[in-house]
Amino acid sequence: MKVLNLVSNEDARFFEQQRTVLERRGVNCETMKPPGDHVAREDMTERTAGDYLKFVPQVLTESREGYDLVHANYGLTAPMALAQLRLPVVLSLWGTDLMGEYGWLSKRCARHCDAVIVMSEEMARELGQPCHVIPHGIDMDRFAPRPTAEARAEVGWDPDARHVLFPYPPSQDVKDHPRAHRIVERASERVDADVELQVVYGVPHAEVATYMNAADALVLTSKREGSPNSVKEAMSCNLPVVSADVGDVRDRLDGVSPSTVSDDDEELAAGLADVLADPRPSDGREAIRDISLDRMAERIEGVYESVT
């Protein structure tokens, strides 16, 4: 099978992983992106509407090169995929493209696609039409538990302090760093130890697992999410998660201990204080074995086969 992938940010690590595991299964994946630059560190794009218009004839030309289908990854690439009329179109929505400013465009395009993939049941409800719920998979070999002291020494953190991981740039408004800071401050008042909020971003993905194993908890305070990879990666490392009730986080953490999911800051601070006062691993790894990278690729390939 030969697939033409359209993507707004080909450097997104979950897209890279998706492409790699599909190719490992024998799917020939070619990738195109619109002209202009995607500024991933700010979770925004410098592209103009004109850049996307220039992308249309490029897609039309490339789509004639023996492909079986077009896979639009992220809602803003859907109009270009649909501009060619010969091949089936699969659309993957990543979260902000459905829940954010351009959600109306994603919904309109989704009605004309042959299949749509979303990351969570919440996104499926927001979309309001038949779709496949396939969360981004996790590399469970890379994101595996390691001794905390060993990981902490590797990243240079104080071995005697408590460390709370916030794995996003503070500039990303949707991630709400100020709220995370407030929750950590409240929790620290109840803990007889120094507590540090560790803001980690821009490091190679291969190193993220080390930071997760060095931390005592991960805090997620996003205003909206689809199926946040950071939560699933933390679970794979048995790192306790304290999270706002967004996306599929509540479902993912159902039955996982210790963990806290709430929209109330006081409850989040109490849950975080509990983990920091008595640091211990969670049992999250067992709960996500069904979303390995190989399982994700198997399900996406099944969607491909259903439309060709």
Side-chain angles (χ1 to χ4, degrees):
M1 184 177 295
K2 187 176 181 182
V3 177
L4 176 59
N5 283 281
L6 309 184
V7 64
S8 59
N9 176 19
E10 65 178 344
D11 296 324
R13 65 174 182 258
F14 44 81
F15 174 74
E16 293 176 342
Q17 291 174 330
Q18 172 183 298
R19 182 176 56 197
T20 298
V21 292
L22 283 169
E23 288 180 337
R24 197 162 62 211
R25 293 179 62 86
V27 178
N28 185 343
C29 296
E30 299 294 333
T31 301
M32 296 182 68
K33 64 176 182 178
D37 294 322
H38 180 92
V39 187
R41 70 179 183 276
E42 300 291 345
D43 195 30
M44 60 184 291
T45 178
E46 289 184 343
R47 294 192 183 102
T48 65
D51 290 326
Y52 281 96
L53 287 174
K54 293 175 187 175
F55 195 37
V56 174
Q58 298 174 16
V59 172
L60 291 175
T61 299
E62 182 64 24
S63 68
R64 301 188 184 100
E65 298 300 316
Y67 294 96
D68 296 293
L69 62 93
V70 179
H71 188 168
N73 296 271
Y74 201 76
L76 290 179
T77 66
M80 297 84 220
L82 291 167
Q84 60 77 37
L85 303 176
R86 299 173 52 254
L87 301 174
V89 174
V90 174
L91 169 62
S92 281
L93 298 173
W94 289 358
T96 55
D97 49 352
L98 177 62
M99 319 293 275
E101 179 181 1
Y102 295 103
W104 63 271
L105 177 62
S106 296
K107 291 179 182 179
R108 184 169 297 178
C109 291
R111 292 198 291 268
H112 301 285
C113 294
D114 296 274
V116 181
I117 298 172
V118 297
M119 308 304 146
S120 68
E121 294 292 344
E122 181 189 37
M123 290 180 67
R125 290 190 292 271
E126 177 67 23
L127 182 62
Q129 72 173 66
C131 58
H132 303 268
V133 179
I134 306 177
H136 290 303
I138 298 301
D139 185 343
M140 297 187 70
D141 292 329
R142 174 175 291 169
F143 287 88
R146 285 178 54 193
T148 301
E150 174 186 294
R152 198 164 286 182
E154 192 170 325
V155 301
W157 289 355
D158 183 347
D160 299 317
R162 305 289 192 265
H163 299 276
V164 181
L165 180 65
F166 182 85
Y168 305 105
S171 59
Q172 289 188 9
D173 179 69
V174 71
K175 303 301 184 183
D176 205 345
H177 173 263
R179 186 183 183 193
H181 188 269
R182 290 195 304 271
I183 289 168
V184 171
E185 278 197 331
R186 290 189 194 180
S188 67
E189 294 170 357
R190 312 178 191 186
V191 179
D192 187 21
D194 291 333
V195 177
E196 298 182 15
L197 176 60
Q198 301 287 359
V199 178
V200 176
Y201 64 96
V203 302
H205 190 226
E207 297 177 14
V208 175
T210 303
Y211 286 94
M212 288 189 167
N213 279 294
D216 296 292
L218 178 139
V219 63
L220 184 138
T221 48
S222 300
K223 298 174 182 177
R224 59 180 181 270
E225 290 280 359
S227 180
N229 269 21
S230 60
V231 168
K232 292 177 287 187
E233 290 168 349
M235 292 171 67
S236 190
C237 294
N238 283 337
L239 175 65
V241 175
V242 174
S243 175
D245 192 359
V246 290
D248 67 350
V249 175
R250 181 173 292 279
D251 291 338
R252 285 285 158 214
L253 291 172
D254 185 29
V256 174
S257 179
S259 65
T260 303
V261 181
S262 177
D263 282 327
D264 182 78
D265 283 11
E266 181 59 29
E267 291 183 7
L268 293 174
L272 181 58
D274 172 67
V275 172
L276 298 180
D278 178 22
R280 58 201 186 275
S282 79
D283 54 4
R285 186 173 176 84
E286 189 60 35
I288 60 161
R289 291 195 179 277
D290 65 323
I291 56 171
S292 66
L293 288 174
D294 287 334
R295 177 59 178 147
M296 176 196 71
E298 178 185 349
R299 296 179 67 191
I300 292 175
E301 190 174 4
V303 174
Y304 290 169
E305 291 173 350
S306 75
V307 301
T308 55

